[in-house]
Amino acid sequence: MSRISSRSTFGRLEAGPHTGLCRQSLTDSDREVRDWFLQQAESLGCQIKVDEMGNLFAILPGEDNSLPPIGMGSHLDSQPAGGRFDGILGVIAALQVLKTIKENGIKTLPPLAAIDWTNEEGSRFPKMCAGSGVWAGTEGLSECHDLAAIDASPDEAAPPTMGSELRRINYIGSTPCSYLQNPLSAHFELHIEQGSRLERAQKKIGVVGGIQGMRWYTVHCQGTEAHAGATPMDQRADALVVLAKFAVKVEELSLQEGAFGTVGVMRTKTNSTNTVPGGAFCTLDLRHQIEGVLDRIETELRAYLSQLTTSRSGITVLMGRTWSKRSVEFDQIARDCVQSAAVNIVGESMVMDMVSYAGHDSAETATVVPTAMIFVPSKDGVSHNPAEYTSEEHCDLGAQILLEAVLKYDHHLRRTTTASL
Amino acid sequence: MSRISSRSTFGRLEAGPHTGLCRQSLTDSDREVRDWFLQQAESLGCQIKVDEMGNLFAILPGEDNSLPPIGMGSHLDSQPAGGRFDGILGVIAALQVLKTIKENGIKTLPPLAAIDWTNEEGSRFPKMCAGSGVWAGTEGLSECHDLAAIDASPDEAAPPTMGSELRRINYIGSTPCSYLQNPLSAHFELHIEQGSRLERAQKKIGVVGGIQGMRWYTVHCQGTEAHAGATPMDQRADALVVLAKFAVKVEELSLQEGAFGTVGVMRTKTNSTNTVPGGAFCTLDLRHQIEGVLDRIETELRAYLSQLTTSRSGITVLMGRTWSKRSVEFDQIARDCVQSAAVNIVGESMVMDMVSYAGHDSAETATVVPTAMIFVPSKDGVSHNPAEYTSEEHCDLGAQILLEAVLKYDHHLRRTTTASL
């Protein structure tokens, strides 16, 4: 097995805590890192493709360059007050894999591609995973090009859009942004966990089985305003009590089902200390890896609200789903490649099966090509914060496993390509 | 027993529903009704006293005019969109009692006084029961005189105050506003219920044992903001869930104790759908006739919050009492006079013992002289609303009971005055 030649690179990431990064998508700072990425890729002899969304593909030739590359992608953009690991680790590791492959004279069957996906963060242009989303066909190219920057001044005649900013920094390419015209054989992504499950369990590597589904709801409750000092408790139509019980039930069911349930916003509409609230509002954020569990919780919550409104006269509740993202289950073969690479390198006791709580470019690629992810620990679970930190050891192990997983997938392709001959 | 000569008067009150009244304290419209009140009193041969707060005393002489009068008071001011019964009924009934006493040639031992207390509503000048409060010594005279009208324009150099408005309408008197220098033997008040307990129970008269105590609180909960999709349910410091449980507990304890507990305002501080709320706020309005019950509920709620914060790490809660008004228990002898008058006139089955949920001038007078109240039904419990309505029959019965209660109290004074000779 080839050792990844990464230590010096990841050592630069590890400059100490509280040294964050502000590199929002398609800014001058993003252009600079893109220039650096392409320079690295060219020095490895890679072929470069820039697509219509500014996604960068650094392609190292394989034995059969008619086959779609095995991709290793993540993103180089950050949150406005972000860290130096979220996304960036995956792209640097991909370059390191290419370098190691090249230095060791290894030839994979298909080419390999290190990929920088555009605007994963969605912070400057409010659409997460825009680049990988258009590539996978889940987002529209022109809608994304027309998306205005949220930091645009409201009186600007022509506020910057993704399209105008891609042109401005000269990163709008001619390669079609589509998995059909610019395909991959698979997509592997190394990423920091952005949580503390690995750290708490004292594990080194997470094998990510998928990305949990998310559903957002708003709940409006209408009762009747009444005098707080004269309306008997059993004759009230108190909208707040109903939503308070709802929030308690959300916690109870989420604990029971191992889901995430959050009432993030709650407010009464009347706002008088001595008036029984006639109206109340809350939001709900519900997440779980299994759509069936989300369905069950949603059904139970609706039944609970219905039971509350039946037992209290004069109350109506409207619970509406405002947004959802289906859960993603990663490809079994790609996961097996990651799993067996991880066990080989850190030993079974250091490996944890997990789902990703956050969204990633891999959620998009998984809809069209075999995809898998590798997680490494985040110190204290901190992310989207300058204090974000992953040790050099863990970055190094992650890159090593990325390399080996890709080689295992190459092996799988060789077997199946041969078998189909 | 003398029949009250009131039917024609209360018939004028009963002009039909939805014909409200706007007669805020010390406006021109208040001056007009004060003029009318004094004219009525003078036509009955009453002595008039106007005190420094504009409280009006119409005094019908008795046998021994060195004794303090038995007062019958309420208020002629209304809410900005008020009804024609709240307060007004009690003052008109007091005048009718004087008229009946005079017409029937009855002589009470002490004088009798019909009283109009200034600014009971507290809507124009934000201090409820200001006139009776200063008289009873629970409010300061100069503070009340300096109180600005809430409808004053903010750029007015000298906004109208209670003092300036009393001068303007020429109702600032020379009689000291004090129960010590202008004493009463007792205070009886006829008032509409402003609730629907009598109506629901199909009773005609409420014998009011006292006025419930009120306590207001604010509750601030501080937890930690966290990612809604990545923070396990059992590792959260969710401020909203704590206050939601609190609101549910308030309802539960209030039902259990027969109290009124209302969380009228609730809001999260972060207001992001996908963030675990790090801060939340709510108010609490708690009412019961017995201070010990209020103490017990408050203690249980504090213990519950403490238990919640102990079982969840990273949560702090501050529950502070922002205002309170102790419960009032009316004088036993004065109550007995009302009770026996009511039973005589409508029969025991039509009489209900009750506490007042709202504040009244009698809450002030009760702190310094024997006080009792009579309630008559309010249609649908509506009050502080143009739809406020009490039937002529009930107004008439209330006035009749006020008359008989006062005569019984006179009888009591005769007995005790004779006994002490």
Side-chain angles (χ1 to χ4, degrees):
Chain A
M1 195 190 76
S2 314
R3 283 294 302 162
I4 196 99
S5 55
S6 63
R7 195 164 289 271
S8 59
T9 305
F10 299 128
R12 282 203 295 278
L13 281 180
E14 193 195 29
H18 299 286
T19 53
L21 185 68
C22 174
R23 185 163 62 214
Q24 293 200 84
S25 188
L26 310 185
T27 57
D28 287 347
S29 152
D30 189 18
R31 178 181 53 199
E32 283 166 27
V33 80
R34 286 166 175 266
D35 291 349
W36 172 87
F37 175 86
L38 294 189
Q39 180 194 327
Q40 296 291 307
E42 278 160 3
S43 74
L44 293 172
C46 287
Q47 178 206 352
I48 304 295
K49 283 187 181 174
V50 180
D51 75 13
E52 301 155 303
M53 277 295 288
N55 297 317
L56 309 182
F57 298 78
I59 301 164
L60 191 71
E63 290 174 15
D64 181 351
N65 294 312
S66 72
L67 292 173
I70 299 174
M72 298 171 287
S74 200
H75 58 96
L76 291 169
D77 68 326
S78 84
Q79 290 282 327
R84 293 160 299 140
F85 296 85
D86 172 3
I88 298 150
L89 172 62
V91 180
I92 293 183
L95 285 174
Q96 290 304 116
V97 168
L98 296 188
K99 189 168 180 224
T100 308
I101 296 267
K102 184 172 171 117
E103 284 174 358
N104 288 273
I106 300 167
K107 271 281 180 195
T108 52
L109 177 63
L112 294 183
I115 307 166
D116 171 33
W117 296 108
T118 297
N119 192 44
E120 191 270 352
E121 293 292 358
S123 55
R124 185 173 180 219
F125 301 101
K127 196 179 284 289
M128 288 194 303
C129 302
S132 51
V134 173
W135 180 83
T138 62
E139 301 289 350
L141 176 67
S142 59
E143 287 88 333
C144 284
H145 275 182
D146 292 346
L147 199 61
I150 60 160
D151 53 3
S153 155
D155 11 284
E156 267 175 278
T161 61
M162 288 200 77
S164 72
E165 287 292 273
L166 280 167
R167 279 187 293 276
R168 185 185 68 80
I169 68 168
N170 205 23
Y171 269 101
I172 191 158
S174 57
T175 301
C177 183
S178 164
Y179 73 99
L180 294 169
Q181 290 153 280
N182 182 31
L184 295 173
S185 293
H187 185 260
F188 289 86
E189 184 171 7
L190 168 64
H191 206 282
I192 61 168
E193 182 200 341
Q194 300 178 281
S196 57
R197 288 169 291 169
L198 287 169
E199 187 179 63
R200 283 164 186 270
Q202 297 186 290
K203 305 283 185 182
K204 293 181 172 176
I205 294 293
V207 176
V208 185
I211 298 180
Q212 66 184 354
M214 300 182 215
R215 298 181 186 185
W216 283 12
Y217 307 83
T218 54
V219 189
H220 290 271
C221 184
Q222 192 61 47
T224 307
E225 291 179 22
H227 195 292
T231 316
M233 299 304 293
D234 58 359
Q235 285 161 29
R236 298 178 170 205
D238 186 326
L240 189 267
V241 170
V242 168
L243 293 195
K245 283 177 174 261
F246 176 77
V248 172
K249 191 72 172 183
V250 164
E251 185 189 52
E252 181 192 316
L253 285 174
S254 302
L255 275 164
Q256 193 177 305
E257 296 277 10
F260 297 90
T262 306
V263 173
V265 181
M266 166 90 81
R267 57 173 174 268
T268 42
K269 290 181 184 168
T270 37
N271 290 324
S272 164
T273 302
N274 56 349
T275 298
V276 176
F281 165 81
C282 74
T283 61
L284 169 64
D285 175 308
L286 204 59
R287 308 194 192 196
H288 193 275
Q289 170 60 10
I290 301 164
E291 290 290 320
V293 173
L294 292 173
D295 289 341
R296 189 162 62 226
I297 297 175
E298 180 177 328
T299 302
E300 288 201 41
L301 287 173
R302 287 185 190 280
Y304 183 66
L305 284 176
S306 158
Q307 175 201 322
L308 287 176
T309 54
T310 307
S311 63
R312 290 161 185 256
S313 72
I315 295 267
T316 54
V317 183
L318 270 178
M319 174 173 164
R321 204 197 286 185
T322 53
W323 178 77
S324 64
K325 190 112 195 161
R326 288 188 66 81
S327 64
V328 172
E329 194 163 354
F330 288 148
D331 179 76
Q332 191 59 53
I333 292 164
R335 274 158 76 178
D336 286 349
C337 292
V338 169
Q339 171 79 27
S340 103
V343 169
N344 282 354
I345 291 168
V346 296
E348 200 166 353
S349 68
M350 285 293 122
V351 176
M352 190 174 184
D353 280 324
M354 59 204 309
V355 297
S356 172
Y357 293 152
H360 294 288
D361 291 310
S362 287
E364 301 299 326
T365 65
T367 62
V368 289
V369 294
T371 294
M373 288 188 80
I374 304 156
F375 271 0
V376 286
S378 300
K379 186 170 186 308
D380 302 325
V382 173
S383 184
H384 288 191
N385 188 305
E388 188 178 278
Y389 179 71
T390 295
S391 71
E392 182 177 356
E393 181 208 350
H394 290 146
C395 291
D396 192 40
L397 286 172
Q400 192 69 46
I401 290 161
L402 179 64
L403 165 63
E404 193 163 330
V406 164
L407 293 178
K408 284 181 186 294
Y409 200 81
D410 175 58
H411 186 69
H412 157 73
L413 285 180
R414 279 181 195 278
R415 270 207 330 267
T416 49
T417 309
T418 308
S420 67
L421 286 177
Chain B
M1 194 192 79
S2 313
R3 284 293 302 163
I4 195 101
S5 56
S6 62
R7 194 163 288 273
S8 59
T9 306
F10 299 128
R12 282 203 295 276
L13 282 178
E14 194 195 27
H18 298 286
T19 53
L21 186 67
C22 173
R23 186 162 61 214
Q24 292 201 85
S25 189
L26 309 186
T27 55
D28 288 344
S29 149
D30 189 18
R31 178 180 52 197
E32 283 166 29
V33 79
R34 286 164 176 269
D35 292 346
W36 172 86
F37 174 85
L38 295 188
Q39 181 194 326
Q40 296 290 306
E42 278 160 5
S43 74
L44 294 171
C46 288
Q47 179 205 349
I48 305 294
K49 283 184 181 176
V50 180
D51 76 11
E52 300 156 306
M53 279 295 288
N55 296 317
L56 308 183
F57 298 78
I59 300 165
L60 191 70
E63 288 172 16
D64 182 351
N65 293 312
S66 71
L67 293 172
I70 298 173
M72 297 171 289
S74 199
H75 57 96
L76 291 170
D77 69 323
S78 83
Q79 290 282 328
R84 293 160 299 138
F85 296 85
D86 172 2
I88 298 151
L89 172 62
V91 180
I92 292 183
L95 285 175
Q96 292 304 116
V97 167
L98 296 188
K99 189 169 179 222
T100 308
I101 295 269
K102 184 173 167 113
E103 285 174 357
N104 287 270
I106 301 166
K107 271 284 176 189
T108 51
L109 178 63
L112 295 183
I115 308 167
D116 171 33
W117 297 107
T118 297
N119 192 46
E120 191 271 352
E121 294 291 357
S123 55
R124 184 172 180 218
F125 301 101
K127 196 180 283 289
M128 287 194 303
C129 301
S132 51
V134 173
W135 180 83
T138 60
E139 301 290 349
L141 176 68
S142 60
E143 287 87 333
C144 283
H145 275 182
D146 293 347
L147 199 62
I150 59 161
D151 53 4
S153 153
D155 11 286
E156 266 174 278
T161 61
M162 286 200 79
S164 73
E165 287 293 271
L166 279 168
R167 279 186 293 277
R168 185 184 69 79
I169 68 167
N170 204 25
Y171 269 100
I172 190 157
S174 56
T175 300
C177 184
S178 163
Y179 73 100
L180 295 169
Q181 289 153 277
N182 182 32
L184 295 174
S185 293
H187 186 262
F188 289 86
E189 184 171 5
L190 168 64
H191 206 283
I192 60 166
E193 182 200 341
Q194 299 180 280
S196 56
R197 288 168 290 167
L198 288 170
E199 188 179 62
R200 282 165 187 269
Q202 297 186 290
K203 305 283 185 181
K204 292 182 171 175
I205 295 293
V207 176
V208 185
I211 298 179
Q212 67 184 353
M214 301 181 216
R215 299 181 185 183
W216 283 12
Y217 307 83
T218 54
V219 189
H220 291 270
C221 185
Q222 192 59 49
T224 307
E225 290 178 22
H227 196 291
T231 316
M233 297 305 292
D234 58 359
Q235 285 160 30
R236 297 178 171 204
D238 185 327
L240 190 267
V241 169
V242 168
L243 292 195
K245 282 176 175 263
F246 176 77
V248 172
K249 191 72 169 181
V250 164
E251 185 189 52
E252 181 191 317
L253 285 173
S254 302
L255 274 165
Q256 194 175 303
E257 297 277 11
F260 297 90
T262 307
V263 172
V265 182
M266 167 89 82
R267 57 172 172 267
T268 42
K269 291 181 184 168
T270 36
N271 290 324
S272 164
T273 302
N274 56 348
T275 298
V276 176
F281 165 82
C282 73
T283 61
L284 169 63
D285 175 308
L286 205 58
R287 309 194 191 194
H288 194 273
Q289 168 61 7
I290 301 165
E291 290 291 319
V293 173
L294 292 173
D295 289 341
R296 188 163 64 227
I297 297 175
E298 180 176 328
T299 303
E300 287 200 44
L301 287 173
R302 287 186 190 282
Y304 184 65
L305 285 176
S306 157
Q307 174 202 323
L308 287 176
T309 54
T310 308
S311 63
R312 288 160 187 257
S313 73
I315 294 269
T316 53
V317 182
L318 269 178
M319 173 173 163
R321 204 198 287 187
T322 53
W323 177 77
S324 64
K325 190 111 195 163
R326 287 188 68 79
S327 65
V328 171
E329 193 163 353
F330 288 147
D331 178 76
Q332 191 60 53
I333 292 165
R335 275 159 74 178
D336 287 348
C337 292
V338 168
Q339 171 79 28
S340 102
V343 168
N344 283 353
I345 290 168
V346 297
E348 199 166 352
S349 66
M350 285 294 121
V351 176
M352 189 174 185
D353 281 324
M354 58 203 311
V355 296
S356 172
Y357 292 152
H360 294 289
D361 291 308
S362 287
E364 301 299 327
T365 65
T367 62
V368 289
V369 293
T371 295
M373 287 187 82
I374 304 156
F375 271 0
V376 285
S378 299
K379 185 169 187 311
D380 300 326
V382 172
S383 185
H384 288 192
N385 189 304
E388 189 178 276
Y389 179 72
T390 295
S391 72
E392 183 178 356
E393 181 208 349
H394 291 145
C395 292
D396 192 39
L397 286 172
Q400 191 70 43
I401 289 161
L402 178 64
L403 166 65
E404 191 164 330
V406 164
L407 292 179
K408 283 179 187 292
Y409 200 79
D410 175 57
H411 186 66
H412 157 72
L413 284 181
R414 277 179 197 279
R415 270 208 330 266
T416 50
T417 310
T418 308
S420 66
L421 285 178

